[in-house]
Amino acid sequence: MRHMRIAIIGDTHIPSRVRRLPTWIRDEIVRSDHTIHTGDIGSVEAYESIASLADGHLTAVRGDKDPDSLDLPAVATVRLNGKQFVVRHRSDMSDHHGVIQETVINLADKDAIGVTGHTHCPANDMVDGIRTLNPGSATGAPPAEDVSLIIASVQNEGMDITVQRRRRSVRQHVSTLYARCRKLFTEE
């Protein structure tokens, strides 16, 4: 089995909180064999842009802030290079790990990887034998302090997980302020 590179992103909130993906995130998506998005994409246009960057190799779920026009499932499963991923956006904040673990147990085998978003905080945890990943926010959308994603490298039976983070740039801070002001002045 060949090596497979998977970009895991989430909570982009384009254009409500930020205007675009940072260049380095776009580059990571293009460089990857498959992309997983954990929801709160933000718009149909943002989804189409990410799908294009991923050359159609995209698994995505609906987030609690996504518009009704974005027709995505609440939960998705995908097997990539022999590893099964169970993707769900929102989990109960009081039992974040428990909800994604229950979803994995109900939909897949115990060796599956649970992938979730919503918190905007990157995580790579092993709880009761189930690996749980959260990429944080790929745009640094508030309340995130950093722009982040996870790269999963899958080969044979092994998997390497790398959480990549970068501080939001001044341009990203300005983009966030612009999006907030636009929202304030366009709301009825």
Side-chain angles (χ1 to χ4, degrees):
M1 207 177 295
R2 73 175 186 83
H3 170 266
M4 181 176 241
R5 180 183 172 90
I6 303 159
I8 303 173
I9 64 172
D11 292 288
T12 48
H13 294 280
I14 299 169
S16 66
R17 296 191 194 174
V18 294
R19 294 169 62 187
R20 68 179 66 87
L21 285 172
T23 301
W24 73 273
I25 296 285
R26 296 171 63 88
D27 292 345
E28 290 292 350
I29 293 170
V30 169
R31 210 176 359 256
S32 296
D33 300 301
H34 193 88
T35 298
I36 295 172
H37 196 301
T38 64
D40 279 355
I41 296 166
S43 65
V44 171
E45 295 79 14
Y47 173 83
E48 290 170 350
S49 174
I50 293 166
S52 178
L53 290 170
D55 197 25
H57 301 283
L58 174 64
T59 301
V61 295
R62 181 177 179 76
D64 61 306
K65 301 295 184 189
D66 282 321
D68 292 338
S69 57
L70 193 55
D71 187 25
L72 294 171
V75 177
T77 60
V78 61
R79 187 170 292 278
L80 300 168
N81 224 27
K83 290 284 185 191
Q84 188 171 23
F85 294 82
V86 177
V87 187
R88 175 183 183 158
H89 174 70
R90 189 172 185 149
S91 58
D92 180 346
M93 295 299 282
S94 64
D95 187 19
H96 184 70
H97 292 296
V99 173
I100 191 66
Q101 285 177 301
E102 183 178 315
T103 305
V104 168
I105 290 166
N106 289 336
L107 296 177
D109 57 57
K110 191 171 179 176
D111 293 333
I113 296 100
V115 185
T116 188
H118 189 64
T119 66
H120 295 219
C121 299
N124 173 13
D125 299 313
M126 181 73 83
V127 179
D128 296 331
I130 297 175
R131 168 86 46 211
T132 303
L133 303 175
N134 185 326
S137 173
T139 57
E145 292 294 320
D146 298 325
V147 174
S148 60
L149 86 160
I150 290 177
I151 298 296
S153 299
V154 180
Q155 186 172 15
N156 300 327
E157 295 301 313
M159 181 172 67
D160 291 322
I161 302 294
T162 305
V163 177
Q164 295 184 18
R165 300 173 176 217
R166 292 192 187 167
R167 283 306 223 180
R168 290 192 302 166
S169 68
V170 170
R171 174 181 274 170
Q172 289 164 315
H173 284 287
V174 169
S175 177
T176 299
L177 289 172
Y178 169 83
R180 285 181 178 169
C181 289
R182 195 181 84 199
K183 185 176 180 182
L184 282 173
F185 291 109
T186 59
E187 288 182 348
E188 307 255 341

